[in-house]
Amino acid sequence: MALINWFVDTTSSLFQRPPLQQQQQQQPLTHVSWSGAERSVHSSSDDGGSLCSKPVAGLGRSSHDEDAVDRLINQHRASLGARSDSLASVYSGAGEGRYGSVAVRGEVEFGLQYNYKQGALEIHIKQCRDLAPVDTKRNRSDPYVKVYLLPDKSKSGKRKTRVKKHTLNPIFEETLKFHITLEGLETRTLWLSVWHSDMFGRNDFLGEVTMSLENKVFDDPLPRFYTLQERSEPLDELLSSKGELIVGLKFVPPEAAASGGKKPAAAKGALHVLVKEAKNLTAVKSNGLSDPFCKSYLLPDKMRSSKQKTAVAKRTCHPTWGHTFVYAHVTLDELAERSLELTVWDHDRLASNEFLGGVRLNLGSGKHNGKAVDWMDSNGKEILLWQWMMERPNLWVESCLPLRPSLDVRHNS
């Protein structure tokens, strides 16, 4: 019973409040506002009259006051926790930042070396100097450095430094590592870019350096300065590159009848598809490689039973399969209305397989039996290879086809 009485007394005291007028007298309404470098406090008068403005003691135009404001923002950022970091990560991805908002200037100092013991490329980011200011009024930015080994621009292929606040001459002294073989580096391009970190919006591009690693000799690890450049058009092409697929095709016509040398009326031929190899595939795994395989459909047949696949090539971005798919019981007239879809995937035992690129081989008519379809969409080399196959029965024709970065992929791998 004593416990119940204590609870009643305690809860009753919680609801005892002074009159509203008394509250206003004890706790005057106060809030801070600012415009530019001037700060003032607005407070209610003692008699409840209109708000007035007056200077706040200790708040002038000094850098200490600016830092105080920044601390308020940082407190808000800390309250967001991991969520703010995830937002920054989303906006700092390849192609997700804001280009052209700042005139590029300045330099970045970094060095390259290959760690043979660990099988890793090490990039020592030392510093930047004379960067462009995003905050022009205070003449400062919040820079960081981001690095990819193109054509891999996946999330796992990104490395970046910490953000340095309020400076145009940040000192990083950080080493970013990519675990990749020397052979794998032969087809890579180093893309190092500098960005201003914007916690509440899109990060601003401050400049970039690109460097082909083909035939690169890593004999001088000492850092050196590189002039930051504006975004380059050749880089846009490299970003969209997904590699190449080397494919051979052959149409085998129906065998002649044993007697009379005539073909049976119902006889059909077969399409042979040799998936030889792929080059320069995107690395999606943390070791800088992929586990690719190739999958095939002869559209519009999308039945699971019609799917054919190669074996998985382990730990490589340059797989060699040498695998032949055979689609029997087809004629040349039918192939003129059909489409061979070849897609390349990274095999993942624990999660969904990741699409690495694909091609479609057909006549590019956009129609199937007179009806518009989206999968009769070949162009360029894709159409040419399909035409060669139809014009040269019983002969292999081959081509190196650029993988498309996206397809209307309608099949689960």
Side-chain angles (χ1 to χ4, degrees):
M1 179 63 69
L3 179 62
I4 295 176
N5 292 334
W6 173 85
F7 177 79
V8 170
D9 293 339
T10 302
T11 52
S12 298
S13 65
L14 291 176
F15 292 96
Q16 293 177 359
R17 292 289 184 270
L20 180 60
Q21 183 177 4
Q22 181 179 353
Q23 291 183 48
Q24 292 175 341
Q25 293 175 352
Q26 293 175 351
Q27 298 179 357
L29 174 65
T30 303
H31 63 89
V32 177
S33 68
W34 55 83
S35 174
E38 297 181 357
R39 275 85 170 168
S40 62
V41 91
H42 302 283
S43 60
S44 60
S45 59
D46 293 339
D47 59 359
S50 62
L51 296 175
C52 64
S53 292
K54 61 182 178 180
V56 180
L59 285 182
R61 300 189 181 185
S62 69
S63 61
H64 296 289
D65 302 330
E66 294 174 353
D67 292 338
V69 175
D70 292 326
R71 281 197 297 272
L72 291 175
I73 296 175
N74 288 334
Q75 289 173 7
H76 176 69
R77 181 176 187 176
S79 70
L80 293 176
R83 181 168 170 263
S84 66
D85 294 334
S86 64
L87 285 173
S89 177
V90 167
Y91 285 115
S92 65
E96 291 296 331
R98 182 166 49 200
Y99 294 92
S101 59
V102 179
V104 171
R105 77 180 197 197
E107 298 174 295
V108 57
E109 185 182 13
F110 66 92
L112 302 175
Q113 74 172 5
Y114 190 79
N115 188 322
Y116 291 89
K117 185 175 181 180
Q118 297 184 8
L121 174 66
E122 297 179 344
I123 306 168
H124 178 207
I125 311 295
K126 190 172 179 65
Q127 63 178 320
C128 295
R129 65 186 182 192
D130 193 29
L131 295 177
V134 173
D135 184 347
T136 55
K137 188 168 185 178
R138 301 179 186 179
N139 194 41
R140 67 189 191 186
S141 293
D142 297 337
Y144 69 96
V145 174
K146 182 172 61 176
V147 180
Y148 288 93
L149 296 182
L150 301 177
D152 178 16
K153 59 183 183 69
S154 63
K155 184 176 180 180
S156 62
K158 177 175 66 176
R159 307 288 187 273
K160 61 182 181 179
T161 67
R162 295 181 179 88
V163 176
K164 299 297 180 180
K165 303 289 287 185
H166 308 163
T167 178
L168 303 181
N169 301 283
I171 297 176
F172 298 103
E173 295 291 0
E174 294 186 45
T175 298
L176 308 179
K177 292 185 179 182
F178 291 87
H179 291 275
I180 184 172
T181 64
L182 278 173
E183 179 187 4
L185 287 174
E186 285 293 312
T187 59
R188 299 304 185 94
T189 296
L190 175 73
W191 178 29
L192 183 149
S193 54
V194 184
W195 298 81
H196 163 77
S197 176
D198 188 337
M199 183 180 65
F200 300 109
R202 302 184 72 181
N203 297 336
D204 294 278
F205 177 74
L206 299 180
E208 70 181 17
V209 173
T210 59
M211 179 188 301
S212 173
L213 300 181
E214 183 179 7
N215 299 323
K216 176 71 174 176
V217 179
F218 300 97
D219 58 351
D220 183 9
L222 294 178
R224 55 164 292 193
F225 278 100
Y226 297 84
T227 301
L228 291 170
Q229 306 291 334
E230 296 280 1
R231 181 72 181 269
S232 59
E233 293 182 4
L235 180 61
D236 293 331
E237 297 178 4
L238 194 55
L239 284 171
S240 64
S241 172
K242 303 294 286 187
E244 302 85 33
L245 185 65
I246 291 85
V247 180
L249 301 179
K250 180 173 70 171
F251 177 74
V252 179
E255 294 290 335
S259 59
K262 294 183 179 180
K263 301 175 185 178
K268 293 186 177 183
L271 173 63
H272 292 237
V273 181
L274 173 60
V275 181
K276 296 183 69 173
E277 59 182 317
K279 296 180 180 179
N280 306 320
L281 297 179
T282 300
V284 297
K285 288 183 164 51
S286 59
N287 61 2
L289 300 170
S290 294
D291 295 335
F293 68 94
C294 183
K295 182 175 64 172
S296 173
Y297 285 94
L298 188 59
L299 304 178
D301 188 353
K302 299 179 290 185
M303 300 297 292
R304 187 176 182 86
S305 59
S306 72
K307 178 174 67 176
Q308 301 192 46
K309 296 193 295 185
T310 68
V312 175
K314 294 288 189 179
R315 297 181 295 278
T316 180
C317 292
H318 313 279
T320 299
W321 293 295
H323 187 95
T324 301
F325 304 134
V326 177
Y327 290 95
H329 310 299
V330 293
T331 66
L332 286 175
D333 289 341
E334 290 173 350
L335 291 177
E337 296 287 334
R338 304 189 71 172
S339 177
L340 178 69
E341 182 178 272
L342 300 172
T343 51
V344 182
W345 303 78
D346 171 69
H347 176 68
D348 194 321
R349 292 181 300 172
L350 302 178
S352 298
N353 297 326
E354 185 166 344
F355 178 72
L356 298 180
V359 298
R360 286 203 189 104
L361 306 177
N362 51 67
L363 294 181
S365 65
K367 295 181 179 180
H368 172 67
N369 294 333
K371 296 182 179 180
V373 292
D374 60 0
W375 43 265
M376 291 287 285
D377 60 348
S378 291
N379 53 43
K381 285 186 174 182
E382 295 173 336
I383 294 178
L384 193 58
L385 182 60
W386 200 246
Q387 290 175 336
W388 286 350
M389 175 271 298
M390 298 182 67
E391 294 168 359
R392 296 168 174 81
N394 259 336
L395 294 176
W396 281 104
V397 293
E398 182 180 303
S399 183
C400 178
L401 305 170
L403 289 168
R404 303 186 198 179
S406 64
L407 283 176
D408 181 19
V409 181
R410 49 176 67 79
H411 321 297
N412 294 324
S413 58

